Amino acid sequence: MTLETSIEFIKGIGSERAKLIKNVMGISIVEDFLNFYPIRYLDKSKIFTVSILQESNIEVQLKGKITALQEIQTGKIKRLSAKFNDHTGSMDLVWFQYSKWLKEQIPLNKEVFIFGKINAFNSQFSMPHPEIEAEENKEAETRLKPIYPSSEKLSKRGLTQKFFQNVLKNICKEIPNLIQENLPEYMIRHYQFLSRQHTFLNIHFPKNQQYFEKADYRLKFEESFFFQLGFGLKKAHHKAKSQGNSFPIVGDYFTNFYENHLPFELTNAQKRVLKEIRLDMKKPIQMNRLLQGDVGSGKTMVALLTMLIALDNGFQSCLMAPTEILAQQHYAGIKDLLKDTEIKVNILTGSVKASARKIIHEELENGELSILIGTHAVLEDKVKFKNLGLAIIDEQHRFGVAQRAKLWAKNKIPPHILVMTATPIPRTLAMSFYSDLDVSVIDEMPVGRKPIITAHRREKDRAYVYNFCHEEIRKGRQIYFVYPLIEESETLDYKNLMEGLESVMDNFSNYNVTMLHGKMKADEKDAAMNYFASGKSQIMVATTVIEVGVNVPNASVMVIESSERFGLSQLHQLRGRVGRGGEQSYCILMTSDKLTADSRTRIKTMTETNDGFKISEVDMQLRGPGDILGTQQSGVVDFKRLDLVNDSAIIKNTKSLVEKILETDPLLAKTEHQIIKNYYLLYYKGKNKWSKIS
């Protein structure tokens, strides 16, 4: 037997069963079975008695006798029922589907062990479909018994837990020939790991709880370590091999803007991040940096200053945003900042007319246009630059890997890449998924920004909330009312929004109200936005379309209706739309009276903190990592044991360990690292396991 042996040759399987297992479980070779880990374990060394049974739905083992077996018919349905007695009491056993053969196999009035899940009804316990073992056949079970993932399709065809346990027992006998060590001796000693062979033995058939924990820890460590190693090697290779344009000069464009046109003093965090970017771009290596910052922390200013450095070195820049509204916003903001300079900026989105496009294409190719802002339209083959030196991508996880590669191809020497995200990514995720990017974080807000006050109110407080809004409007402020999208139905969404609009118009009849929703055409959306931004309307009723992008410094209150229907990061993004001016701003989370536990956690988190990083950590605990990374990335890494939410200590540990190793031995050439290198080449390079990561 080798790791590559097909499972049909394992004792007890054969070609028919192998086909079924492969279809249902995706297991086709011996190695797949070794990595097919139990979902939990049963401790069959414990024996319960009827009198101490308390809760239902737990699995227990009892010892006693089965008596009074009878068939009961209700209508067309037959079931088999029996009494089970031990020295403390009795309970019912029941079989809903059974054959004549099963009925004849049940040992009556003999000492047996029964095992199964307990159900409770009217404080009477019963056990459906128990496993029965005669006392003389029972092995003394000291080990924990593995329970494997299964499906009805398999158990109906006789592939029960017992079947999987036997298959794995047979494979585990071969472990000495199948499993080789993959970590150096010094690491095993330092972390007091079980050997790799003992690890696999104790994950399938743990001697006891302590051995299971050791095996589990080692497998998690390995997954994280080799994952980080892959990223570490990729980063080292990138730094050694990937050519970039060096930007040695900080010249007139940058200095003139910095000294004469900067509207506010940069925060220390912005200065620090700018310095990191500046050092990257000096080198003749392509920069690959992730810029994280909370809503309103001033990422756009950092992006603009970076573009001015590119310009000082004779290169063009482009900034790509995921939606038209956001691209428009960046364009308006940057154009406004550069209005007293000679620098030419333009915007390219799907709705730009052909005649205007033609001019943009020409000016990009002859180098007249220095900065292009746009959506996916920038990726079209027709869009050619004279010399693109910097590409900035806003909201990274909305762009797939292939789309980013298209941007690289826009220049002979690929442009420097700066990825910006306003959804703070939990640190554990950043450590795992963006290990191939250098990460910069803007972790302070611009001076003079007051933290937004967030309050939770229920339906019964609505009159109070409306009064508060009236007061704010009297002070000259503007207000957002945001309604959730209920995915199931566009008509329902629209109905909800319309009812909301009516209610707002009734209660604020002497004010101008505008509406914004996803079904409006692009120019209608822009018109509505501009009308609100210009101050002609005091209230905007909108769906989550406004989550990205709208910047109205005078809007000081956001009322989020049915806020329990929103995810945490969405609530945080929405809240970031107010508080953009110098005035105190408020976010009011309206909910119904009944909330689920998760909704309560989300609302509580929002009212307690404005820190996007803390919020993202809670979000990850509630939703899991896949959702947070967005559709492009969810399920990217198929970790079998490692849990990105709960194992952050292991991730941190392996990350710094990998950094240390690669610092002193970047090619893994030392004798003690040969074992890591060989395993990595075979499993991660050779089997192409994780190469699909950005």
Side-chain angles (χ1 to χ4, degrees):
M1 190 190 281
T2 69
L3 289 175
E4 303 297 325
T5 301
S6 166
I7 60 170
E8 63 179 295
F9 302 117
I10 297 173
K11 187 178 166 194
I13 295 189
S15 62
E16 277 308 300
R17 282 179 162 181
K19 233 183 250 164
L20 179 66
I21 293 170
K22 188 180 177 184
N23 286 342
V24 179
M25 295 307 218
I27 293 175
S28 50
I29 57 174
V30 166
E31 186 184 11
D32 298 336
F33 255 130
L34 273 172
N35 295 322
F36 177 61
Y37 302 122
I39 38 176
R40 55 198 171 82
Y41 301 86
L42 298 175
D43 186 351
K44 278 201 163 179
S45 58
K46 275 195 195 140
I47 295 170
F48 287 75
T49 58
V50 174
S51 62
I52 61 168
L53 294 178
Q54 279 176 345
E55 52 184 312
S56 65
N57 234 7
I58 57 163
E59 281 174 310
V60 295
Q61 175 173 255
L62 299 112
K63 184 182 178 188
K65 289 180 178 173
I66 300 174
T67 59
L69 185 66
Q70 56 169 341
E71 287 183 276
I72 299 168
Q73 187 143 3
T74 325
K76 286 184 180 172
I77 299 165
K78 261 198 210 169
R79 67 177 194 276
L80 191 59
S81 166
K83 275 270 179 264
F84 172 82
N85 308 289
D86 66 10
H87 63 281
T88 69
S90 72
M91 63 186 261
D92 290 331
L93 306 182
V94 59
W95 293 264
F96 295 104
Q97 287 174 324
Y98 61 96
S99 58
K100 187 166 173 267
W101 174 84
L102 177 92
K103 187 180 159 190
E104 286 161 4
Q105 294 299 309
I106 295 170
L108 290 175
N109 302 312
K110 280 186 186 152
E111 201 66 48
V112 290
F113 289 92
I114 64 163
F115 184 83
K117 251 193 187 158
I118 290 293
N119 283 342
F121 182 68
N122 286 342
S123 68
Q124 255 318 99
F125 288 102
S126 68
M127 185 186 286
H129 299 269
E131 279 180 35
I132 302 171
E133 211 166 349
E135 189 176 18
E136 61 267 25
N137 300 341
K138 186 166 168 68
E139 307 164 28
E141 295 199 48
T142 49
R143 287 178 180 273
L144 297 174
K145 198 168 191 174
I147 297 294
Y148 292 96
S150 186
S151 79
E152 210 177 315
K153 205 170 181 182
L154 294 175
S155 25
K156 270 190 177 159
R157 302 275 290 274
L159 306 190
T160 57
Q161 284 300 329
K162 212 161 202 161
F163 166 80
F164 284 117
Q165 288 156 2
N166 287 336
V167 165
L168 273 137
K169 266 184 194 145
N170 288 330
I171 293 175
C172 285
K173 284 177 192 152
E174 300 290 328
I175 277 181
N177 316 317
L178 295 173
I179 300 284
Q180 260 66 58
E181 199 44 77
N182 63 0
L183 295 176
E185 189 53 44
Y186 75 84
M187 223 183 269
I188 294 172
R189 267 201 318 275
H190 176 79
Y191 290 103
Q192 300 180 329
F193 283 143
L194 292 177
S195 75
R196 198 153 185 262
Q197 296 187 350
H198 277 111
T199 296
F200 275 93
L201 207 56
N202 279 285
I203 204 71
H204 288 291
F205 300 99
K207 254 189 196 163
N208 53 36
Q209 187 61 24
Q210 197 185 350
Y211 272 88
F212 158 71
E213 282 164 17
K214 285 193 133 190
D216 187 48
Y217 185 80
R218 159 126 199 202
L219 288 173
K220 286 177 170 181
F221 181 93
E222 268 184 32
E223 281 193 336
S224 184
F225 176 79
F226 283 101
F227 179 74
Q228 297 290 356
L229 182 69
F231 264 151
L233 289 166
K234 188 172 167 185
K235 203 173 186 175
H237 174 80
H238 182 87
K239 296 215 156 132
K241 293 282 187 295
S242 92
Q243 192 188 1
N245 290 301
S246 158
F247 293 177
I249 305 160
V250 172
D252 294 345
Y253 285 116
F254 183 94
T255 318
N256 172 34
F257 181 81
Y258 196 88
E259 287 172 1
N260 306 317
H261 304 293
L262 199 64
F264 50 78
E265 173 72 20
L266 294 186
T267 62
N268 288 329
Q270 283 174 308
K271 288 177 185 166
R272 184 191 68 239
V273 165
L274 211 51
K275 197 171 172 185
E276 290 166 351
I277 291 171
R278 173 91 194 76
L279 288 171
D280 269 1
M281 297 200 304
K282 262 186 183 167
K283 301 172 194 151
I285 299 159
Q286 183 199 29
M287 168 172 82
N288 218 4
R289 192 167 273 284
L290 174 72
L291 175 59
Q292 287 203 67
D294 225 328
V295 188
S297 60
K299 292 184 298 295
T300 311
M301 184 52 79
V302 170
L304 173 61
L305 290 165
T306 308
M307 294 195 238
L308 296 179
I309 295 174
L311 195 51
D312 276 331
N313 288 277
F315 285 91
Q316 294 164 299
S317 303
C318 81
L319 190 160
M320 206 162 101
T323 64
E324 186 136 349
I325 276 194
L326 197 51
Q328 287 287 359
Q329 179 120 22
H330 279 305
Y331 174 60
I334 286 172
K335 201 172 174 206
D336 186 50
L337 287 165
L338 296 176
K339 65 177 181 286
D340 301 325
T341 67
E342 314 282 273
I343 301 164
K344 212 164 189 186
V345 188
N346 215 329
I347 182 166
L348 183 62
T349 64
S351 60
V352 172
K353 304 268 187 297
S355 52
R357 259 169 206 256
K358 196 165 170 257
I359 299 167
I360 292 174
H361 290 170
E362 280 167 16
E363 291 183 347
L364 277 179
E365 285 191 63
N366 65 28
E368 240 183 275
L369 184 55
S370 308
I371 295 175
L372 179 67
I373 292 161
T375 52
H376 295 76
V378 175
L379 297 173
E380 290 169 10
D381 294 336
K382 301 195 284 288
V383 182
K384 292 186 174 65
F385 291 81
K386 184 179 181 188
N387 52 356
L388 179 64
L390 170 70
I392 298 176
I393 301 169
D394 196 8
E395 288 295 340
Q396 125 102 7
H397 52 249
R398 302 189 184 207
F399 290 107
V401 180
Q403 291 169 317
R404 293 212 295 272
K406 266 191 149 175
L407 261 180
W408 292 26
K410 297 268 179 198
N411 209 41
K412 277 202 183 70
I413 293 177
H416 293 296
I417 300 277
L418 182 66
V419 171
M420 302 197 298
T421 173
T423 317
I425 297 158
R427 290 182 172 83
T428 333
L429 274 191
M431 272 193 295
S432 327
F433 282 89
Y434 300 107
S435 288
D436 59 334
L437 295 172
D438 296 298
V439 179
S440 290
V441 179
I442 303 182
D443 49 13
E444 61 181 303
M445 283 304 196
V447 187
R449 278 276 171 96
K450 295 181 177 151
I452 300 164
I453 294 172
T454 306
H456 171 210
R457 296 285 178 266
R458 297 176 192 263
E459 205 42 58
K460 60 178 170 34
D461 311 315
R462 185 167 292 280
Y464 166 79
V465 171
Y466 281 168
N467 283 341
F468 176 73
C469 292
H470 275 287
E471 275 167 41
E472 286 295 300
I473 297 175
R474 281 197 286 275
K475 290 181 194 164
R477 316 266 187 272
Q478 288 164 283
I479 296 187
Y480 293 109
F481 279 89
V482 184
Y483 287 82
L485 290 172
I486 311 159
E487 296 302 326
E488 298 96 66
S489 133
E490 277 199 1
T491 37
L492 249 178
D493 283 345
Y494 194 65
K495 182 169 167 282
N496 255 15
L497 187 66
M498 284 312 174
E499 283 172 4
L501 183 68
E502 259 174 55
S503 158
V504 170
M505 287 176 92
D506 286 349
N507 284 279
F508 296 88
S509 52
N510 42 349
Y511 296 118
N512 265 341
V513 180
T514 22
M515 182 168 73
L516 183 69
H517 59 84
K519 278 169 124 178
M520 288 160 72
K521 294 193 180 74
D523 50 350
E524 293 174 339
K525 280 183 197 163
D526 291 344
M529 257 341 301
N530 294 335
Y531 187 66
F532 183 64
S534 68
K536 288 177 188 152
S537 124
Q538 290 77 26
I539 296 174
M540 170 167 273
V541 173
T543 57
T544 40
V545 176
I546 64 157
E547 176 187 349
V548 277
V550 190
N551 192 1
V552 182
N554 190 41
S556 67
V557 181
M558 171 167 289
V559 179
I560 303 179
E561 298 285 353
S562 309
S563 57
E564 70 272 25
R565 291 174 184 266
F566 290 89
L568 249 182
S569 65
Q570 217 182 6
L571 286 172
H572 180 61
Q573 287 286 45
L574 284 167
R575 172 168 67 184
R577 296 291 124 225
V578 291
R580 298 189 154 237
E583 303 306 329
Q584 178 61 61
S585 289
Y586 304 88
C587 175
I588 300 169
L589 304 173
M590 299 294 295
T591 69
S592 59
D593 293 328
K594 278 189 181 153
L595 292 179
T596 65
D598 276 5
S599 298
R600 255 199 301 278
T601 307
R602 287 201 297 269
I603 303 291
K604 185 169 182 274
T605 307
M606 286 294 293
T607 53
E608 284 173 0
T609 180
N610 279 312
D611 177 341
F613 287 97
K614 280 191 190 142
I615 288 171
S616 67
E617 297 283 346
V618 177
D619 200 16
M620 183 163 85
Q621 284 161 11
L622 292 175
R623 290 194 300 159
D627 285 344
I628 294 206
L629 287 171
T631 47
Q632 305 285 0
Q633 315 273 358
S634 56
V636 164
V637 180
D638 177 21
F639 287 131
K640 293 241 183 328
R641 303 295 301 179
L642 192 72
D643 177 338
L644 289 172
V645 177
N646 299 316
D647 297 326
S648 56
I650 295 178
I651 292 169
K652 219 178 194 153
N653 193 348
T654 51
K655 188 176 169 65
S656 57
L657 181 64
V658 163
E659 281 166 3
K660 240 184 245 156
I661 290 173
L662 293 181
E663 220 168 277
T664 55
D665 188 11
L667 298 171
L668 301 178
K670 290 183 180 173
T671 322
E672 70 260 36
H673 292 149
Q674 286 305 299
I675 193 164
I676 301 176
K677 183 179 180 174
N678 295 339
Y679 182 81
Y680 177 77
L681 287 172
L682 177 65
Y683 280 84
Y684 294 83
K685 271 280 188 277
K687 298 197 173 183
N688 202 13
K689 193 171 180 183
W690 278 332
S691 62
K692 62 182 174 186
I693 290 169
S694 58

